[in-house]
Amino acid sequence: MKIQNLEDVFRYLPIKGEIAFANARGKFQEKIKKQQLKYLKDLVDDLKHVLEEGEEILLSARGASPFTAVEQLTTGAWIYYIKRCIIVLTDRRVLHFPTNYRFKPRDSVAQIRFQDIESFKGKRRVTFRYKNGAREIFSQIRNGKRLVQLLKGLVTTSSTSSQHGGRQHLCPRCVAPLARDRYTCPRCRLEFKEPAAARLYSVFLPGGGYFYTRHPWLGIGDAVTELVLIFLTFVFLLEYFMTPNSDVIQLYLGLFFAAILAVEKLITIYHARHFINEYIPVEKSFNKIPQPKPVSRTGIKEPGFDYEEERVRFL
């Protein structure tokens, strides 16, 4: 759905305006309203699909997804563009949408249930500690201070944790929770990119790991670098073995560039493996399956929705 007018975002999504459009003192500001609607504009379809019955949006914020020290060391400041994301706080959970460098969604979504949060702190860098023992840092968070302020009134650490206990990815087609290191949705059978394939592409195709995980600009840069290293390795080793009385320095140079190429391949494999953790669908486009209606107080599913019927119709 293409949103032309920002006001339409407010019509399509259940936004609690008195909170989302207010400053830290709870006063409405038109500037904040425009910012919030702008952040949510490209997520209208995704949020309409993911939000549960009666769930309301309290705040949205742009930032960077969690990344490792090795990722930052090997990419520098670019990591904040590579890992861009949008965080949406609702009255029930934190929704995490990985995006591209323009903050356009990548068909990937994760949730953090309030009952899974052990503690949290920060402003621009918000650190979450989960009840499963894991810790994650979301960095460069716009509205991070406001996010933490709202979380303080929502998170009760004494509540019982869910079975997962931390951040959990959801299927972008049917919104079913995804099992860690399982790359097929247990409900609708949507397939996701796998680590084994990412390794193969990274090893045998220059820039292949990045192209496979849908990071084309990284792939182009990596492909150029690898092709140059392959050329230099080939030239110096060929010169050494094919030229009589060749200088041993040519052998050393050939081995030197081969070693750099190997390190480059290892870095690509490492990055691709972490991109895979965002659960990237193999299919670039797919029909979304509506969520089942909630179970009534009697324990009987409400009429009008048959999951298997909807799955067959949408697949």
Side-chain angles (χ1 to χ4, degrees):
M1 179 187 300
K2 288 188 177 180
I3 304 296
Q4 302 296 334
N5 189 343
L6 285 180
E7 290 294 331
D8 290 339
V9 177
F10 195 52
R11 289 197 303 112
Y12 288 120
L13 296 176
I15 304 172
K16 201 163 186 177
E18 62 269 26
I19 295 177
F21 306 149
N23 59 20
R25 297 180 179 179
K27 293 184 178 180
F28 170 85
Q29 289 188 353
E30 186 66 29
K31 180 181 178 181
I32 295 177
K33 178 181 177 180
K34 289 181 178 179
Q35 178 201 65
Q36 288 294 296
L37 296 180
K38 180 181 178 182
Y39 289 175
L40 296 169
K41 179 181 176 182
D42 294 315
L43 290 175
V44 169
D45 285 337
D46 295 302
L47 283 167
K48 286 178 66 177
H49 181 55
V50 170
L51 289 175
E52 299 170 346
E53 188 77 16
E55 188 173 12
E56 291 184 300
I57 296 171
L58 305 182
L59 186 74
S60 62
R62 288 178 173 179
S65 302
F67 52 80
T68 66
V70 175
E71 286 181 287
Q72 185 171 30
L73 182 65
T74 52
T75 58
W78 289 107
I79 193 65
Y80 297 109
Y81 293 90
I82 297 168
K83 289 284 189 174
R84 278 184 166 178
C85 71
I86 296 178
I87 296 170
V88 178
L89 175 67
T90 75
D91 55 352
R92 302 178 189 176
R93 53 185 169 163
V94 177
L95 292 171
H96 168 227
F97 294 91
T99 68
N100 64 14
Y101 71 98
R102 294 185 299 168
F103 290 106
K104 303 296 182 181
R106 290 184 175 276
D107 285 327
S108 176
V109 58
Q111 67 175 359
I112 306 171
R113 291 284 181 181
F114 292 154
Q115 63 263 36
D116 292 329
I117 300 175
E118 181 68 37
S119 64
F120 55 91
K121 63 179 180 179
K123 294 179 181 179
R124 289 282 288 177
R125 284 166 52 92
V126 180
T127 302
F128 288 96
R129 290 186 181 273
Y130 306 122
K131 291 182 179 178
N132 63 3
R135 186 191 74 153
E136 289 185 321
I137 300 174
F138 291 84
S139 51
Q140 299 292 310
I141 301 295
R142 296 286 301 271
N143 302 329
K145 183 177 180 180
R146 178 68 170 152
L147 175 66
V148 171
Q149 180 188 45
L150 292 175
L151 279 171
K152 288 179 180 178
L154 295 167
V155 176
T156 304
T157 57
S158 59
S159 60
T160 304
S161 174
S162 70
Q163 186 176 1
H164 188 75
R167 182 164 62 102
Q168 183 178 39
H169 279 269
L170 305 174
C171 174
R173 182 159 69 183
C174 71
V175 202
L178 299 175
R180 190 183 298 274
D181 298 326
R182 299 286 182 87
Y183 299 96
T184 301
C185 175
R187 181 185 292 170
C188 72
R189 312 311 297 173
L190 180 67
E191 295 184 349
F192 300 91
K193 307 264 184 174
E194 296 188 354
R199 285 194 297 270
L200 289 175
Y201 279 106
S202 298
V203 171
F204 294 107
L205 181 66
Y210 295 117
F211 289 119
Y212 179 69
T213 55
R214 295 182 188 159
H215 290 80
W217 292 111
L218 288 176
I220 291 171
D222 186 61
V224 171
T225 302
E226 287 190 18
L227 289 172
V228 170
L229 290 171
I230 290 171
F231 174 77
L232 291 173
T233 300
F234 179 78
V235 166
F236 283 112
L237 291 180
L238 185 66
E239 184 75 15
Y240 175 77
F241 288 109
M242 298 300 292
T243 304
N245 302 320
S246 57
D247 195 336
V248 71
I249 191 66
Q250 293 173 334
L251 174 62
Y252 291 153
L253 285 172
L255 295 176
F256 172 73
F257 287 115
I260 295 178
L261 176 62
V263 172
E264 178 72 16
K265 290 286 187 183
L266 290 174
I267 291 173
T268 302
I269 293 170
Y270 183 85
H271 286 172
R273 179 65 182 85
H274 282 269
F275 293 146
I276 288 293
N277 290 339
E278 292 181 348
Y279 288 87
I280 308 163
V282 173
E283 301 175 45
K284 288 188 176 181
S285 61
F286 47 84
N287 292 320
K288 294 178 179 179
I289 302 175
Q291 294 190 61
K293 288 188 177 181
V295 176
S296 66
R297 291 183 180 180
T298 60
I300 301 173
K301 185 180 292 185
E302 293 183 6
F305 187 96
D306 184 280
Y307 181 80
E308 288 302 321
E309 179 183 319
E310 289 295 316
R311 188 175 74 85
V312 171
R313 185 168 71 86
F314 277 83
L315 295 184

